[in-house]
Amino acid sequence: HLSIRRQRQMCIRDRIHHHLIMNRNSSGSAITRAITRFDDRLRLARASELALAGRFIEAEALIMTDCHRPSHEGYDLLARIQVRQGRLQQAQGTWEKSLETGGCKKNIEPCLVTLADHQENVLKRRILFWKLNLFLWAIITCLAIWIYLNLL
């Protein structure tokens, strides 16, 4: 479980790292980027472990910390978690954010196409369900009228 306190500690740690490195020479920015990438990779690895264990809320909290805007890999993982939870509309928006932040179209577009196909199939099933319900109600109504008329 990743508590609020632990998230704040991570934010403070990241701010200190960033502040210390930015006050150094120009090589500091390269070090900052390397540390940030490493930290992001660790966070994503841990979030993946949590998601595989079914601990989706904790995984989402780890990806969406207050201090960091997720990378495109983070958005991709978040969208996959949302799909596993059945939150398809949110997953679509998250994948679109991943594309906006530089995500690989080759990996994300098939996910969006599959998601759109799934949503279309769900819509078709719902329409079929309601048509069958309407048909059954019509039959029941006709049967009730027929029985009523035959009893007279």
Side-chain angles (χ1 to χ4, degrees):
H1 179 90
L2 194 62
S3 67
I4 300 293
R5 181 177 178 213
R6 179 67 182 134
Q7 288 180 15
R8 287 184 184 145
Q9 288 173 344
M10 290 171 59
C11 285
I12 292 169
R13 182 200 67 206
D14 292 343
R15 285 186 198 136
I16 290 171
H17 281 296
H18 182 72
H19 178 71
L20 289 174
I21 292 171
M22 291 308 288
N23 288 333
R24 293 186 185 156
N25 57 17
S26 63
S27 67
S29 63
I31 294 171
T32 302
R33 286 192 302 271
I35 289 173
T36 302
R37 279 196 309 270
F38 181 73
D39 194 38
D40 287 344
R41 299 250 184 237
L42 283 176
R43 188 178 298 109
L44 285 177
R46 180 66 181 140
S48 295
E49 290 175 9
L50 291 169
L52 288 173
R55 297 165 59 184
F56 300 122
I57 295 172
E58 294 172 53
E60 281 187 56
L62 194 56
I63 295 169
M64 300 293 292
T65 62
D66 293 335
C67 299
H68 295 289
R69 186 170 158 226
S71 63
H72 59 274
E73 292 102 350
Y75 280 125
D76 183 45
L77 178 59
L78 185 61
R80 291 172 190 276
I81 290 169
Q82 291 167 340
V83 166
R84 296 251 335 249
Q85 291 177 314
R87 299 175 357 205
L88 304 180
Q89 292 294 89
Q90 286 180 326
Q92 182 179 1
T94 305
W95 266 317
E96 289 168 358
K97 283 181 190 175
S98 179
L99 284 174
E100 291 170 6
T101 59
C104 181
K105 280 187 174 184
K106 183 175 75 173
N107 295 336
I108 295 172
E109 284 184 347
C111 296
L112 288 171
V113 168
T114 303
L115 188 61
D117 289 344
H118 175 72
Q119 288 174 329
E120 185 179 324
N121 289 337
V122 167
L123 181 62
K124 285 179 183 178
R125 276 188 258 135
R126 284 184 182 164
I127 290 171
L128 180 62
F129 173 78
W130 285 108
K131 284 181 179 179
L132 285 173
N133 277 335
L134 182 61
F135 178 72
L136 287 175
W137 276 107
I139 288 176
I140 290 171
T141 303
C142 290
L143 186 60
I145 293 172
W146 182 77
I147 289 172
Y148 176 75
L149 292 176
N150 282 334
L151 289 177
L152 289 178

